[in-house]
Amino acid sequence: MVKKTTILFVTLLIGFFSVCVEGQPIDLVRQRIKIDNDWVFALGHAYDAKKDFNHATSYFTYFAKTGYGDGAASKEFDDRAWRKLNLPHDWCVELPFDENGSPSHGFNAIGRNFPENSVGWYRKKIYVPESDLGKKISIEFDGVHRNSIVWINGFYVGTELNGTNSFSYDITDYLIYGGDNVIAVRVDASIEEGWYYEGAGIYRHVWLTKTDPLHVSRYGSFVTTELKNNLATVTSRISVLNETNKTVQYDIEEIIFDANGKTLASGSKKV
């Protein structure tokens, strides 16, 4: 319980863990690494496969067999001629204006009338050290407009139709540990979603998140407060994922600090 006048200035720190599995401590540091730099980009095509780097033309598609991403989705695709850039990126704003363009794209030459400008491809190489083997690793996109498909080393990992949602994929099982890995993203902005300028591309940050198999889930902490008689009751709820193959015992400790770093309240729980 803390005073109402104080609660306005506090920060609730969540996720300080003391964890033991079979008596051995585990390092639960969550790494969230921004991977915005050193991507390459090229325009594809909305319906002409040849102009879309012969994507999805193999005998087996990536939906039929895992690891069969082809064309620009393949790990082996040669992207050396592509444009180098850093994210965030919007290719719509780079296009010329056209009277046949859509208001939602600012009358730029993109959309159904411009299939040659409406699909963009992004690729990036990332090195994952061998020491990461055993961790859970996800790739997180803060926003891609729109209809994005993501591959890791030619393995299809997911599709996100919405252009404003953030989304995440677990890529642990698709990675090469101790080597380079290729991220490929196809973005199709042919169809608009709203009445405002939407742009096109990976227009927000991208992150690589590394955790222990035992970890707080994405957006797994939720805090509410109840004010009564000039006092505030703080309630927190935490969702913890155990992605090991063992029964795990762990402690959760939560601390509320004021603006000066002074501890106002704390609590712990054994699970």
Side-chain angles (χ1 to χ4, degrees), residues 40 53 55 58 62 66-80 82 121-128 150-156 174-185:
V40 292
F53 308 105
H55 168 63
S58 298
Y62 54 90
T66 185
Y68 272 69
D70 63 353
S74 169
K75 184 178 186 296
E76 308 305 325
F77 179 81
D78 186 354
D79 59 19
R80 289 176 295 177
W82 287 19
W121 283 88
Y122 296 86
R123 287 171 56 91
K124 177 180 172 62
K125 288 184 179 179
I126 56 170
Y127 177 81
V128 177
V150 180
W151 296 264
I152 302 294
N153 295 328
F155 289 85
Y156 167 75
Y174 308 119
L175 295 173
I176 299 169
Y177 296 88
D180 286 331
N181 298 264
V182 176
I183 305 165
V185 185

Side-chain angles (χ1 to χ4, degrees), residues 86-262:
N86 297 330
L87 303 179
H89 173 243
D90 172 12
W91 85 77
C92 176
V93 75
E94 301 169 350
L95 297 172
F97 296 110
D98 193 289
E99 63 181 6
N100 295 314
S102 166
S104 292
H105 283 134
F107 288 99
N108 292 78
I110 190 173
R112 288 296 195 192
N113 295 325
F114 308 93
E116 71 281 4
N117 294 337
S118 298
V119 169
W121 283 88
Y122 296 86
R123 287 171 56 91
K124 177 180 172 62
K125 288 184 179 179
I126 56 170
Y127 177 81
V128 177
E130 193 171 354
S131 58
D132 281 347
L133 186 62
K135 295 181 180 178
K136 299 298 290 186
I137 301 180
S138 298
I139 187 169
E140 301 182 8
F141 294 84
D142 285 349
V144 182
H145 191 84
R146 68 174 293 278
N147 191 8
S148 64
I149 310 174
V150 180
W151 296 264
I152 302 294
N153 295 328
F155 289 85
Y156 167 75
V157 294
T159 298
E160 175 57 53
L161 294 175
N162 191 280
T164 55
N165 280 347
S166 63
F167 54 97
S168 173
Y169 301 119
D170 182 347
I171 60 174
T172 306
D173 296 335
Y174 308 119
L175 295 173
I176 299 169
Y177 296 88
D180 286 331
N181 298 264
V182 176
I183 305 165
V185 185
R186 184 181 189 270
V187 185
D188 188 341
S190 298
I191 302 175
E192 306 94 42
E193 291 185 22
W195 56 90
Y196 43 81
Y197 175 78
E198 298 173 328
I202 307 178
Y203 66 97
R204 292 178 183 161
H205 301 303
V206 182
W207 307 83
L208 201 66
T209 299
K210 305 178 182 182
T211 69
D212 190 87
L214 177 68
H215 59 276
V216 175
S217 62
R218 187 170 183 250
Y219 306 138
S221 58
F222 187 75
V223 180
T224 58
T225 58
E226 182 180 353
L227 302 179
K228 187 176 181 180
N229 297 328
N230 208 37
L231 294 175
T233 301
V234 179
T235 301
S236 67
R237 298 173 178 85
I238 297 179
S239 174
V240 177
L241 294 180
N242 177 16
E243 297 185 88
T244 71
N245 58 0
K246 302 177 181 179
T247 299
V248 179
Q249 292 181 331
Y250 56 93
D251 299 333
I252 299 176
E253 181 179 1
E254 302 174 71
I255 305 171
I256 300 177
F257 300 98
D258 66 11
N260 297 316
K262 179 183 177 181

